[in-house]
């Protein structure tokens, strides 16, 4: 299969499995996008103008839209040759569109709502149309039809939500639109008469896909480091704030260690061993979505206990300080199940411990609550290390 330039469009068996420099360049846009999401959430916890829960809901919708753009790009470049001019053009267009969405994030539920929504719809539909036209209907015209039909359902909801003046209407419209987009993505855009098909199917380059997931998770950890560094550099460098800074750095190391322990490193082998590789690759995307959301929220917690380490702990702050690690461990547990068809007891115990800490830490200071969460993560990492010493290297055994 080829585009009109004669350059192969679908990956060959000998194609490069590593991410290209252009793909890494695209990731820089999402680094900025995550900082804008974090800034919104931090403002919701500190200035209270939107309200914490309303602000979190809005930030989640914006984050899901950005993740949909990134994940569809990754699946496309894991199926199609990222060195093909058609694919490279799409990556550049994606970079421009994602950057536009990112700069709109701070006021995406206000004056920049139309910009965010119209850019998202134009990007998602435009890429599909461009692939179809530039590739002369290849590599799969039926997939083009599937995706366009599903985006045709969600696009009016995005655009109307962006254009209405009533913010109370925008939230429900965009919520339904996100649900339509993610249900279609998860199920492979089922369409009457032609059925469903996830992007690429078994032709996805497993090593490339796994590496891209790993890279985006590292981006999220890098964004958390940016948040904690910015918070500490703007502080008074007092002893308590220094302690919060050191604690936050240690927590990021624990997040990295827990993620890359075995399952985080052998995702490509799991996809290759799977009886249903398209489904496994899709579910891995959702596991990473949860983990990355947890890391971003954990980074918000860093900001809170570095800048205000002592004094009264607002109950809402526990959503970030404890809720971030909960989301991360939940997503990491899902990934472990996807790779090995089991979940380590240390991760389940960690989730239970974080839940039990809620009624205890509400009476503590912010820095102490952050320390309690870090202790739980450290216990999970120690459990991983002990299990590794007792067991030989495991072969991935995905459940499907």
């Amino acid at each position: 299969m080829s585009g009109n330039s004669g350059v192969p469009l679908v990956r060959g068996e000998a194609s490069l499995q590593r991410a290209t420099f252009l793909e890494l360049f695209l990731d820089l846009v999402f680094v900025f996008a995550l900082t804008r999401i974090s800034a919104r959430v931090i403002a919701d916890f500190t200035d209270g103008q939107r309200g914490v829960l309303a602000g979190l809901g809005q930030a989640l919708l914006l984050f899901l839209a950005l993740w949909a753009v990134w994940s569809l790009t990754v699946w496309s470049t894991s199926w199609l040759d990222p060195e093909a001019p058609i694919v490279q053009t799409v990556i550049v267009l994606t970079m421009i569109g994602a950057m536009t969405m990112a700069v709109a994030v701070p006021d995406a539920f206000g004056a920049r709502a139309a910009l965010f929504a119209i850019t998202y719809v134009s990007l998602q539909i435009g890429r599909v149309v461009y692939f179809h036209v530039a590739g002369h209907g290849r590599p799969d015209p039926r997939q083009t039809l599937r995706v366009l039909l599903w985006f045709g359902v969600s696009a009016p909801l995005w655009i109307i939500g962006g254009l209405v003046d009533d913010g109370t209407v925008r939230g429900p419209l965009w919520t339904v639109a996100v649900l339509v987009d993610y249900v279609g993505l998860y199920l492979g855009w089922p369409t009457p008469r032609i059925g469903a098909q996830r992007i690429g199917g078994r032709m996805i380059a497993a090593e490339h896909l796994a590496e891209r997931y790993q890279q985006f998770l590292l981006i999220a950890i890098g964004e958390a480091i940016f948040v904690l560094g910015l918070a500490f550099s703007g502080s008074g460098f007092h002893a308590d704030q220094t302690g919060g800074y050191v604690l936050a750095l240690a927590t990021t190391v624990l997040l990295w260690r827990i993620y890359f322990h075995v399952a985080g490193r052998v995702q490509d082998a799991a996809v290759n061993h799977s009886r249903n590789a398209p489904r496994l690759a899709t579910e891995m995307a959702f596991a990473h979505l949860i983990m990355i959301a947890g890391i971003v929220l954990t980074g918000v917690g860093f900001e809170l206990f570095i800048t205000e380490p002592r004094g009264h702990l607002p109950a809402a702050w526990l959503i970030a300080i404890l809720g971030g690690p909960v989301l991360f461990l939940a997503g990491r547990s899902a990934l472990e199940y996807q790779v090995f068809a089991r979940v380590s007891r240390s991760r389940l115990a960690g989730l239970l411990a974080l839940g039990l800490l809620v009624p205890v830490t509400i009476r503590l200071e912010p820095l102490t609550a952050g320390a309690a969460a870090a202790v739980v993560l450290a216990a999970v990492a120690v459990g991983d290390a002990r299990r590794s010493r007792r067991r030989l290297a495991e072969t991935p055994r995905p459940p499907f």
Side-chain angles (χ1 to χ4, degrees):
M1 296 183 184
S2 63
N4 59 344
S5 64
V7 178
L9 189 57
V10 175
R11 279 178 174 270
E13 292 184 3
S15 63
L16 183 68
Q17 291 281 319
R18 303 300 301 271
T20 64
F21 290 120
L22 184 57
E23 291 175 276
L24 297 177
F25 189 25
L26 171 67
D27 286 350
L28 297 178
V29 173
F30 288 92
V31 173
F32 174 72
L34 289 182
T35 65
R36 297 303 85 207
I37 296 290
S38 290
R40 275 186 64 100
V41 177
I42 290 169
D44 293 331
F45 278 103
T46 53
D47 68 19
Q49 291 184 9
R50 283 185 290 257
V52 172
L53 294 181
L56 284 173
Q58 293 177 7
L60 178 60
L61 288 174
L62 302 176
F63 171 67
L64 289 174
L66 287 161
W67 174 260
V69 169
W70 184 85
S71 60
L72 283 175
T73 306
V74 166
W75 283 345
S76 296
T77 55
S78 293
W79 173 36
L80 307 177
D81 184 359
E83 299 287 355
I86 292 175
V87 179
Q88 290 184 335
T89 301
V90 169
I91 295 174
V92 171
L93 293 174
T94 300
M95 181 175 62
I96 295 170
M99 189 65 186
T100 304
M101 292 171 65
V103 298
V105 160
D107 204 16
F109 269 79
R112 301 290 179 265
L115 176 63
F116 185 90
I118 292 172
T119 303
Y120 173 78
V121 169
S122 300
L123 186 57
Q124 295 290 64
I125 293 179
R127 295 189 299 180
V128 177
V129 172
Y130 177 79
F131 269 131
H132 183 76
V133 173
H136 295 280
R138 293 168 287 186
D140 187 351
R142 292 180 302 173
Q143 189 73 320
T144 300
L145 179 60
R146 292 185 188 98
V147 177
L148 285 179
L149 285 175
W150 276 82
F151 279 135
V153 174
S154 67
L157 300 173
W158 280 108
I159 294 174
I160 294 171
L163 294 176
V164 295
D165 293 329
D166 189 352
T168 61
V169 176
R170 180 173 298 124
L173 285 174
W174 282 6
T175 299
V176 176
V178 164
L179 287 174
V180 171
D181 287 345
Y182 271 78
V183 169
L185 185 150
Y186 181 77
L187 297 178
W189 301 280
T191 305
R193 296 190 178 183
I194 60 174
Q197 175 65 59
R198 294 182 173 92
I199 287 182
R202 297 199 68 89
M203 297 171 67
I204 284 181
E207 183 180 342
H208 179 270
L209 187 67
E211 183 182 74
R212 298 297 284 132
Y213 288 157
Q214 293 163 350
Q215 287 166 346
F216 201 94
L217 189 126
L218 286 174
I219 285 172
I221 292 179
E223 189 277 333
I225 291 174
F226 174 83
V227 169
L228 73 88
L230 196 62
F232 185 58
S233 65
S235 71
F237 282 63
H238 301 302
D240 292 339
Q241 293 167 330
T242 302
Y245 166 71
V246 173
L247 176 64
L249 276 178
T251 302
T252 60
V253 173
L254 290 170
L255 295 174
W256 165 81
R257 179 67 179 85
I258 292 169
Y259 172 75
F260 280 102
H261 178 75
V262 189
R265 290 186 282 105
V266 296
Q267 297 169 65
D268 54 337
V271 173
N272 285 327
H273 281 80
S274 175
R275 300 184 303 276
N276 190 343
R279 177 185 170 187
L280 182 62
T282 303
E283 296 202 0
M284 282 181 173
F286 281 86
H288 282 80
L289 168 64
I290 296 169
M291 282 187 284
I292 290 163
I295 292 170
V296 171
L297 198 54
T298 301
V300 172
F302 295 163
E303 164 81 18
L304 299 177
F305 67 65
I306 289 174
T307 56
E308 297 289 341
R310 298 298 183 186
H312 172 67
L313 172 63
W317 286 19
L318 292 178
I319 297 174
I321 296 174
L322 296 182
V326 165
L327 281 177
F328 173 76
L329 283 182
R332 183 58 178 76
S333 298
L335 179 65
E336 185 172 24
Y337 178 77
Q338 292 155 8
V339 173
F340 294 117
R342 61 157 178 80
V343 179
S344 302
R345 286 180 293 180
S346 61
R347 307 195 194 288
L348 298 177
L351 287 168
L352 178 61
L354 288 169
L356 294 175
L357 280 175
V358 173
V360 177
T361 51
I362 194 62
R363 296 180 171 85
L364 303 177
E365 295 178 326
L367 182 58
T368 310
V375 168
V376 172
L377 292 175
V380 173
V382 169
D384 288 344
R386 289 179 175 176
R387 188 168 58 255
S388 294
R389 286 197 295 268
R390 291 196 303 264
R391 293 185 179 182
L392 298 175
E394 286 186 89
T395 300
R397 295 184 179 182
F400 44 79

